[in-house]
Amino acid sequence: DTEVTQTPKHLVMGMTNKKSLKCEQHMGHRAMYWYKQKAKKPPELMFVYSYEKLSINESVPSRFSPECPNSSLLNLHLHALQPEDSALYLCASSPYSEGNQPQHFGDGTRLSIL
Amino acid sequence: AQSVAQPEDQVNVAEGNPLTVKCTYSVSGNPYLFWYVQYPNRGLQFLLKYITGDNLVKGSYGFEAEFNKSQTSFHLKKPSALVSDSALYFCAPFIYNQGGKLIFGQGTELSVKP
């Protein structure tokens, strides 16, 4: 069982829809991450939150909007996505962002854009 | 540019035989080094890490990895492969610049046949 919970597991949306992905962890971790992963490819970092503040944005298009309401919760708001945004979206957390502790990954949300 | 290479897209091994999944990196400084595994329809799972100290590190599920500073390599090994080890394996140094993040290799698909 993963300790990082992502909902929903699957999401199909049209290009004009607005939806949100949710990620939750109760390990007391203070760093949280969003990744995008295409099939059989490595994860691509999108955003990093450290102590609930956005610390890294990897030049992600504005149609993706992250939010960290508290230390346990991370959201990714989606609007006007493109077909190429179809992918597995992974959330991860770690005790802090300094790097010598492993990241714990959720099982992802599989997103399909029609 | 900082990079990590997994030179084999796929590794095929017979059950019971030893396995090696290769990783070399070109990263400034002394990075933390990680291996993650991804089973189908799952997120990434942490296997092991090298921070400092003994060049041979042991991890989960009987895996180990050998750090070689002169060759900037961090190869993953297991003395006796299981069919259940079949999965996608990612090597990932943690780099400190650009805010601090993991950079993932392209992944190696391990197939263990009975």
Side-chain angles (χ1 to χ4, degrees), chain A residues 66-86:
Chain A
E67 179 195 20
C68 189
N70 58 58
S71 60
S72 300
L73 190 55
L74 186 66
N75 297 320
L76 186 63
H77 303 298
L78 315 173
H79 174 54
L81 295 194
Q82 303 297 307
E84 62 265 27
D85 297 323
S86 297

Side-chain angles (χ1 to χ4, degrees), chain A residues 3-4 25-32 71-72 93-96 102-104:
Chain A
E3 298 165 308
V4 176
Q25 58 87 14
H26 296 287
M27 295 177 281
H29 290 174
R30 303 313 300 269
M32 296 186 77
S71 60
S72 300
S93 71
S94 61
Y96 39 84
Q103 295 180 18
H104 296 243

Side-chain angles (χ1 to χ4, degrees), chain B residues 31-98:
Chain B
Y32 303 138
L33 300 167
F34 295 84
W35 275 101
Y36 288 87
V37 60
Q38 187 173 31
Y39 297 99
N41 300 312
R42 300 295 304 274
L44 278 69
Q45 294 179 31
F46 166 72
L47 274 180
L48 49 78
K49 66 179 181 181
Y50 175 82
I51 303 299
T52 187
D54 193 352
N55 290 344
L56 186 65
V57 294
K58 294 190 183 300
S60 307
Y61 313 121
F63 283 93
E64 56 192 29
E66 187 168 13
F67 170 67
N68 186 315
K69 187 172 183 177
S70 62
Q71 296 183 3
T72 60
S73 66
F74 189 53
H75 300 331
L76 181 70
K77 302 184 179 190
K78 187 173 183 182
S80 178
L82 299 173
V83 172
S84 56
D85 293 330
S86 298
L88 186 56
Y89 290 79
F90 292 104
C91 177
F94 182 89
I95 60 172
Y96 297 93
N97 59 3
Q98 302 168 35

Side-chain angles (χ1 to χ4, degrees), chain A residues 37 40 58 99-100 103 107, chain B residues 36 38 43 49 101 109:
Chain A
Q37 187 183 27
K40 306 285 191 184
E58 293 284 273
N100 67 348
Q103 295 180 18
D107 285 337
Chain B
Y36 288 87
Q38 187 173 31
K49 66 179 181 181
K101 60 184 179 182
E109 187 144 20

Side-chain angles (χ1 to χ4, degrees), chain B residues 2-20:
Chain B
Q2 314 215 61
S3 63
V4 55
Q6 293 180 238
E8 298 150 320
D9 290 337
Q10 183 152 12
V11 169
N12 298 307
V13 177
E15 189 174 32
N17 282 1
L19 69 87
T20 299

Side-chain angles (χ1 to χ4, degrees), chain A residues 29-83:
Chain A
H29 290 174
R30 303 313 300 269
M32 296 186 77
Y33 311 80
W34 280 116
Y35 290 88
K36 173 184 178 181
Q37 187 183 27
K38 293 281 198 179
K40 306 285 191 184
K41 297 294 186 184
E44 300 169 26
L45 183 65
M46 300 174 72
F47 303 104
V48 180
Y49 274 84
S50 179
Y51 292 87
E52 296 144 60
K53 291 190 178 356
L54 184 64
S55 60
I56 295 179
N57 177 342
E58 293 284 273
S59 303
V60 177
S62 60
R63 58 185 184 268
F64 295 91
S65 175
E67 179 195 20
C68 189
N70 58 58
S71 60
S72 300
L73 190 55
L74 186 66
N75 297 320
L76 186 63
H77 303 298
L78 315 173
H79 174 54
L81 295 194
Q82 303 297 307

